Amino acid sequence: MIGILIVSHSKALAEGAVEVAKQMADERLPIKAVGGLDDGSIGTDAVRIMEGLYSVYTEEGVLVFVDLGSSVLSTQMAMDLLGDEKMKSNIHIVNAPIVEGSIVAALQASIEDPIESVIEEAENAWKMNKL
Amino acid sequence: MIGILIVSHSKALAEGAVEVAKQMADERLPIKAVGGLDDGSIGTDAVRIMEGLYSVYTEEGVLVFVDLGSSVLSTQMAMDLLGDEKMKSNIHIVNAPIVEGSIVAALQASIEDPIESVIEEAENAWKMNKL
């Protein structure tokens, strides 16, 4: 099963997004939150993200959802820190809204969609209509 | 100044989204979170949302950001509970991704953009590119 990592500047946001996405997910789905800095303040930390990547890693791949631009940079740095090209090539930062994208991905990954389809569905969450 | 309310099924998600949006906002911006049920479990509660609407209400209007479909229904119910047509007409549920939309809105509301422009900018957050 695909792994999902939710990366935010805020610990509460990342953990809350995981909490909501889990409602849609198979209980076996590896899904974790990495948010904020070690002292609980706002920010992103490449080492903590790297640990998060290890914790949800599966051979089928990992999808990462981020809040803002600098989360992307920290995640890319975390992928470099892995020091493992094969593992790195299995990790994809998804260009999707963090909450809506991860909800869709949790649902699609749970029904064992191939990773390319899950990415596409999550990216389509940009076009979601709520009203 | 416009008020902003972030409504989620998860208390942590709503509070984390406020925490991140506040980074972009003027400290005077009224912005609050309503998430989960009274006992901390996942869900939305129209009475708690109504209280949230009162807490951020200004004559210039209130923008509400939601996570999933049923948050929209609960917010519409909360607007009916207000029992005040003028107040209700000043409250807008924004069709935008909850995190990205509320970040954009907090920024635009802080520079005192008119409410129509803030709504438009937040809706455009669907088209945001992260990568």
Side-chain angles (χ1 to χ4, degrees), chain A residues 55-106:
Chain A
S55 74
V56 297
Y57 187 78
T58 78
E59 291 282 322
E60 290 169 64
V62 171
L63 303 183
V64 185
F65 293 87
V66 299
D67 55 359
L68 297 167
S70 50
S71 308
V72 174
L73 295 177
S74 299
T75 302
Q76 286 166 338
M77 206 182 296
M79 289 164 67
D80 288 335
L81 287 174
L82 293 169
D84 179 331
E85 286 307 313
K86 179 165 176 295
M87 197 175 165
K88 185 176 166 182
S89 70
N90 274 337
I91 297 171
H92 310 272
I93 306 173
V94 186
N95 189 13
I98 184 167
V99 171
E100 294 79 2
S102 56
I103 289 171
V104 170

Side-chain angles (χ1 to χ4, degrees), chain A residues 8-46:
Chain A
S8 169
H9 283 67
S10 153
K11 185 171 190 285
L13 200 168
E15 290 179 353
V18 166
E19 191 180 23
V20 173
K22 271 191 171 169
Q23 301 288 312
M24 311 291 169
D26 188 300
E27 60 185 18
R28 293 167 303 162
L29 185 78
I31 177 167
K32 290 276 173 63
V34 178
L37 304 179
D38 267 340
D39 63 0
S41 62
I42 290 277
T44 54
D45 180 294

